[in-house]
Amino acid sequence: MSRMPSPFGQPQELNYQSNVGTSTMGTFFNAVYAWMAAGLALTAVVAWFLSQRPEILMSMGAGIWILFILQIGLVLAIGGAINRISTGVATALFMLYAAINGAFFAGIFLVYAHSTIASAFLITAGTFGVVSLYGFVTKADLTRFGTFLMMALIGLVIAIVVNMFMHSGPMDLVISCVGVLLFVGLTAYDTQKLKIYAMQTENNPAMAARLSISGALMLYLDFINLFLFILRLMGNKRR
């Protein structure tokens, strides 16, 4: 057994010999992956639509910062209030977040060649699938890496901000490589963490439905960030 943080209070034992039915676990993860895929699809559709109409992006002006702040608020609301809001509200907030994220991703279609975007997406999907599967089936305790991953994430954000002023090519390469490795680790870690959610909500379908949305957001963010860093490594921008 290993220890995993729990959304219900005290850390709970992650017992790999648990008799939680495979149907219960399967139902929970099917919902998580389905909503994650729906969020990614909505982000892609909005991004493509706006990339075909750059005048809409230009008209936003400073309003883009309002959307950015709204994004942060939506993540906090879904994660922090998941025990209090209904499944419908959680779903609506998640899809709203995915749609707003599409506005930020529209620039990718304007900067990178479409073939590069497609290749980066396929590489990301394959990598994410393998790593998430590992996080689901492994009996290794990934929780011991939790603190390290969070500290590495903070360090990565600081490095990105610093390099925005330095414009260092070698540093950008290092940041991209570290970013890929970091979100590979977070994908496995988060997938294992979701197993305890499924176990704890076996007899509470309503809570399981809400946490499947929270889990979808968690893996959605892992996928999106992994995609961005892989895209940066490929670096085939339009001339």
Side-chain angles (χ1 to χ4, degrees), residues 68-195:
F68 179 71
I69 294 173
L70 179 58
Q71 273 194 310
I72 296 176
L74 288 170
V75 171
L76 294 176
I78 296 172
I82 198 66
N83 291 321
R84 299 186 297 275
I85 59 179
S86 68
T87 302
V89 171
T91 303
L93 292 178
F94 171 58
M95 297 307 284
L96 177 59
Y97 174 84
I100 293 175
N101 211 27
F104 291 94
F105 271 66
I108 290 177
F109 286 91
L110 300 175
V111 174
Y112 289 89
H114 290 180
S115 60
T116 303
I117 296 173
S119 297
F121 178 84
L122 291 175
I123 294 172
T124 302
T127 303
F128 178 91
V130 171
V131 174
S132 188
L133 178 62
Y134 169 78
F136 184 83
V137 303
T138 185
K139 294 186 178 181
D141 179 11
L142 302 182
T143 60
R144 63 182 182 273
F145 301 112
T147 301
F148 170 77
L149 290 171
M150 291 303 105
M151 295 300 295
L153 181 58
I154 294 172
L156 183 65
V157 171
I158 294 174
I160 291 174
V161 173
V162 170
N163 202 41
M164 288 174 62
F165 298 96
M166 294 179 58
H167 304 289
S168 169
M171 186 174 179
D172 186 69
L173 177 61
V174 171
I175 288 173
S176 298
C177 292
V178 171
V180 169
L181 293 176
L182 175 59
F183 282 98
V184 162
L186 281 170
T187 297
Y189 173 81
D190 287 338
T191 300
Q192 190 178 82
K193 183 164 65 175
L194 288 176
K195 290 183 71 175

